[in-house]
Amino acid sequence: MVLVYNHLAEKWDLTNTVDSDGDYIVDSSDPSPTGPVSEPRNFIFKIEFEDQAGNQGIIVENTTDSSFVGIDTTSPELLDVSIISNNLDNTTARKDDQVTLSFKTTEPIQTPTDSEISITGLDTLSFNQTDNEGYEWEIRGTVLASQNGNASFSIEVLDLAGNKGSPVTATDDNTQVVLDTTTPTLRGITLVSTNANDSQAFAKPGDNITLSFNSSEPIQTPVIVLADNDSLTVHDTSSNQDGTSWEVVYNVTSSESERDVSFNIAYQDIAGNIGDNRTQAHSNTNRIRIDTVIPELDLVSLASNNPDNSTAMAGDNVTLTVQSREALQTLELVHEDDTLESLTPNGGDGKQWVYSREIQPGDTGPVNFLLRFTDLVGNDGIEVSQTTDGSSVSIDTAIPELSSYALSVNGSSSYTCLLYTSDAADEEDSVDLGGRRI
């Protein structure tokens, strides 16, 4: 504007008395004649003139065609810069999510282009004016595949006069959007129980079964079904609660059925990328068997090696034979002083057991026993003191003696009568006389 005034003054040989910035210094002598122009303003002029005869014309202060020129020397500034996504967590974005960068300006600006505004990881941007004057704007784009990391941006706008604003690369409200197009994975899946006999294979009533695992990145609370229960509490066990280590615990009760433990893990990362479900069949983990059934003995039998296997004398062996319904961890004979003596397994299936003892002189009476046993899981069976087949063994180690006898001889070669009594009930009695058994 100053240049216009000076040019016209020189062209028409007139004195320039214009003070554009009102600082009482004529523009022609003012080093900063316009001062800062923070808002566009019209070019204002005043023309006084006269002809060669000295007749003064009417002062002109407006153009004849209503044209005007606005003066703007100030660069536009950005306000309220913010960035969000349409993801449920608006600080993250996965493939095909939309990211929106919004801002306001101190003055109307030209519609931005790709050369003035960029956002990494997005497809073609759309530039949208959200008010009527051009002060408010939203820039949108869709997340491309294989894009990860912060959605960084740069904004450099032009006002209507063409003044360029300073580049802006940070938000005013500290918002940011992290692009995540990577599918999460799980590792270190372990299944373990508190079973005292084998924590990798069994669980009985009162035991806890724990499923734990780690994720390749922070994930939302996973949905886990363990041992057919989908209502268990899932715990974040990572040291800083960052969602990378998880655990769920199942308690075994006596009322449930005997079965193998199964599990299913459904999970997704913070951005919503869904990982592949992990199950027992798709994981390299051990199998745990829930056993809530107490063990039973199908066969308990007693026999001796005496010709009459229901009796035994000194030197005979009495054998206790046991067959269980399932494999046993222990099968023990409980003595009268409550000491225990293990039966010997017969075969490798843990179901056949045997115990033998030699009868000693002085032993007498029926063979009594008490069996105590547990299965592989640790379930205790009900103690057994009777045979299942009705067998029994009676011990008799006393030597039989004749308490009285009578012999009557009629001639030298014939026997007329033999009477005797004994203090023992002999199964088969015989007497030898003269070398002949009678």
Side-chain angles (χ1 to χ4, degrees):
M1 181 171 68
V2 175
L3 292 177
V4 174
Y5 284 143
N6 289 338
H7 171 73
L8 295 178
E10 290 176 2
K11 179 178 179 180
W12 294 334
D13 193 22
L14 299 173
T15 301
N16 181 5
T17 60
V18 176
D19 179 10
S20 298
D21 57 5
D23 62 355
Y24 304 107
I25 302 175
V26 176
D27 288 351
S28 59
S29 303
D30 193 343
S32 301
T34 62
V37 181
S38 59
E39 294 183 1
R41 62 190 184 188
N42 292 333
F43 173 77
I44 301 174
F45 62 90
K46 180 179 181 181
I47 302 175
E48 298 178 359
F49 60 99
E50 61 182 25
D51 61 17
Q52 292 180 350
N55 297 305
Q56 291 185 345
I58 299 174
I59 297 175
V60 176
E61 296 180 328
N62 294 292
T63 61
T64 59
D65 58 2
S66 299
S67 60
F68 64 92
V69 174
I71 306 299
D72 181 1
T73 62
T74 303
S75 298
E77 297 179 5
L78 301 184
L79 306 170
D80 302 334
V81 179
S82 181
I83 188 169
I84 61 172
S85 77
N86 66 342
N87 192 284
L88 290 177
D89 177 356
N90 62 12
T91 65
T92 64
R94 58 179 176 170
K95 181 180 178 299
D96 296 330
D97 281 349
Q98 189 175 82
V99 175
T100 300
L101 176 66
S102 61
F103 58 87
K104 297 177 181 178
T105 57
T106 55
E107 57 180 297
I109 62 171
Q110 302 177 32
T111 300
T113 64
D114 290 330
S115 63
E116 295 153 4
I117 298 181
S118 64
I119 308 175
T120 59
L122 307 184
D123 64 0
T124 303
L125 299 178
S126 64
F127 304 90
N128 307 290
Q129 180 181 323
T130 58
D131 69 344
N132 295 325
E133 294 79 20
Y135 285 90
E136 299 178 8
W137 296 84
E138 287 184 350
I139 317 302
R140 296 191 182 94
T142 302
V143 179
L144 297 169
S146 303
Q147 299 298 311
N148 296 283
N150 285 336
S152 59
F153 63 87
S154 177
I155 309 173
E156 194 172 12
V157 298
L158 299 174
D159 66 15
L160 300 181
N163 298 301
K164 181 180 290 187
S166 299
V168 173
T169 58
T171 60
D172 292 321
D173 57 3
N174 295 319
T175 54
Q176 66 173 0
V177 172
V178 178
L179 307 183
D180 182 359
T181 61
T182 302
T183 300
T185 59
L186 302 184
R187 62 180 181 273
I189 300 176
T190 60
L191 192 63
V192 66
S193 77
T194 55
N195 188 266
N197 290 347
D198 192 337
S199 62
Q200 299 291 314
F202 301 117
K204 66 180 181 64
D207 288 343
N208 287 332
I209 300 173
T210 301
L211 175 67
S212 60
F213 55 88
N214 301 317
S215 56
S216 58
E217 59 178 294
I219 62 174
Q220 302 177 40
T221 301
V223 177
I224 299 178
V225 179
L226 176 60
D228 307 318
N229 190 319
D230 61 0
S231 60
L232 300 173
T233 301
V234 181
H235 300 279
D236 181 354
T237 58
S238 51
S239 58
N240 56 354
Q241 299 290 290
D242 65 355
T244 57
S245 296
W246 300 87
E247 178 182 280
V248 64
V249 179
Y250 176 81
N251 178 256
V252 181
T253 63
S254 59
S255 60
E256 58 188 284
S257 61
E258 188 174 14
R259 66 196 185 282
D260 287 334
V261 174
S262 62
F263 64 82
N264 183 83
I265 308 171
Y267 60 101
Q268 57 184 327
D269 63 19
I270 305 303
N273 297 299
I274 299 174
D276 294 331
N277 278 24
R278 299 298 296 272
T279 64
Q280 179 77 56
H282 296 90
S283 302
N284 187 25
T285 59
N286 53 294
R287 290 187 178 274
I288 290 181
R289 178 74 175 173
I290 293 177
D291 186 348
T292 58
V293 178
I294 63 173
E296 297 182 17
L297 304 182
D298 288 336
L299 173 66
V300 178
S301 183
L302 271 175
S304 75
N305 61 348
N306 192 281
D308 177 1
N309 63 10
S310 65
T311 63
M313 63 181 184
D316 286 346
N317 286 321
V318 175
T319 300
L320 179 64
T321 302
V322 178
Q323 180 176 325
S324 57
R325 186 164 300 177
E326 62 180 290
L328 299 180
Q329 178 79 15
T330 61
L331 177 57
E332 296 170 313
L333 191 66
V334 183
H335 295 296
E336 291 183 356
D337 59 359
D338 211 33
T339 58
L340 302 176
E341 186 175 359
S342 297
L343 275 70
T344 303
N346 186 14
D349 63 358
K351 297 181 180 180
Q352 312 293 329
W353 301 79
V354 66
Y355 176 84
S356 293
R357 183 172 75 87
E358 183 179 348
I359 303 302
Q360 302 298 315
D363 292 344
T364 187
V367 174
N368 297 317
F369 62 88
L370 179 62
L371 294 175
R372 185 177 296 168
F373 53 99
T374 60
D375 63 15
L376 299 180
V377 182
N379 294 309
D380 294 325
I382 299 174
E383 293 181 346
V384 172
S385 60
Q386 300 290 330
T387 61
T388 59
D389 59 0
S391 59
S392 63
V393 173
S394 178
I395 302 173
D396 183 1
T397 59
I399 299 174
E401 297 181 357
L402 298 180
S403 58
S404 64
Y405 59 90
L407 178 63
S408 176
V409 180
N410 183 14
S412 60
S413 60
S414 62
Y415 310 101
T416 60
C417 181
L418 176 62
L419 299 173
Y420 74 94
T421 60
S422 159
D423 61 357
D426 294 324
E427 183 176 306
E428 181 180 353
D429 298 325
S430 63
V431 178
D432 290 336
L433 289 176
R436 297 177 62 186
R437 176 160 294 187
I438 59 175

